[in-house]
Amino acid sequence: NLPDARPLSLVLVNDGTHCSTPQVYRALDEARAVAGDITEKGLTNQGDFCNNLCLSLHKGEAKAVAEAVFNDLESPCFRLFPRVRQTAEALKAAGCEGVLLCGSGATVCGTTDSPEMGERVLAHPALQNCWRASAYRKLVSLSLPAGS
């Protein structure tokens, strides 16, 4: 158990774009076929994902948490729906340490290291015409697998 984890704030933003899930998956399949890449990264980067993510959550390291996950659908979604990419860029410009597309779009999640920063991000002028929400959670304790 890792007591006294630091807080972490998540910011969710959706600009109202309708992203067709079948269209996004088709674009991903087409890009993989062209590249000859049939591997699927899914939602995690390679490596010791569980331990790295758990330790980053415990330490409240917003950037490390964001870097621990990956969404294969992000690139095709951003290519097909530039407004969603612009929303992600606005989150970064507003101060999010990490930004990740949720599912096949159009909601984008940003991580910050405090609820105050999360609220400042939501107040950014580029995000005012979007649906916005912020969540703040202090992880009370965390159990890692044996030998970690």
Side-chain angles (χ1 to χ4, degrees):
N1 285 332
L2 298 173
D4 301 317
R6 292 189 52 216
L8 185 69
S9 182
L10 298 177
V11 177
L12 300 173
V13 177
N14 185 308
D15 69 7
T17 299
H18 170 71
C19 297
S20 165
T21 298
Q23 189 178 3
V24 172
Y25 272 93
R26 260 192 311 279
L28 175 63
D29 290 343
E30 290 167 4
R32 285 182 176 157
V34 168
D37 180 9
I38 59 169
T39 61
E40 292 186 24
K41 272 179 110 173
L43 294 175
T44 63
N45 283 320
Q46 301 303 315
D48 194 359
F49 168 72
C50 184
N51 284 339
N52 291 340
L53 181 60
C54 289
L55 288 172
S56 297
L57 284 167
H58 168 70
K59 294 176 182 176
E61 296 173 343
K63 186 174 182 178
V65 169
E67 290 172 351
V69 293
F70 177 86
N71 186 345
D72 279 344
L73 300 174
E74 192 170 84
S75 181
C77 180
F78 288 178
R79 193 171 51 256
L80 291 168
F81 306 102
R83 281 183 44 200
V84 179
R85 178 185 44 77
Q86 291 166 354
T87 299
E89 290 170 353
L91 278 172
K92 288 178 188 174
C96 284
E97 296 191 47
V99 175
L100 182 70
L101 180 74
C102 298
S104 59
T107 301
V108 182
C109 177
T111 56
T112 69
D113 59 5
S114 73
E116 296 79 21
M117 186 60 188
E119 293 303 318
R120 282 196 296 273
V121 166
L122 291 182
H124 192 276
L127 301 172
Q128 293 312 296
N129 292 322
C130 299
W131 172 89
R132 304 175 312 277
S134 179
Y136 168 75
R137 176 86 170 140
K138 180 172 181 179
L139 197 59
V140 177
S141 67
L142 180 65
S143 295
L144 294 175
S148 299

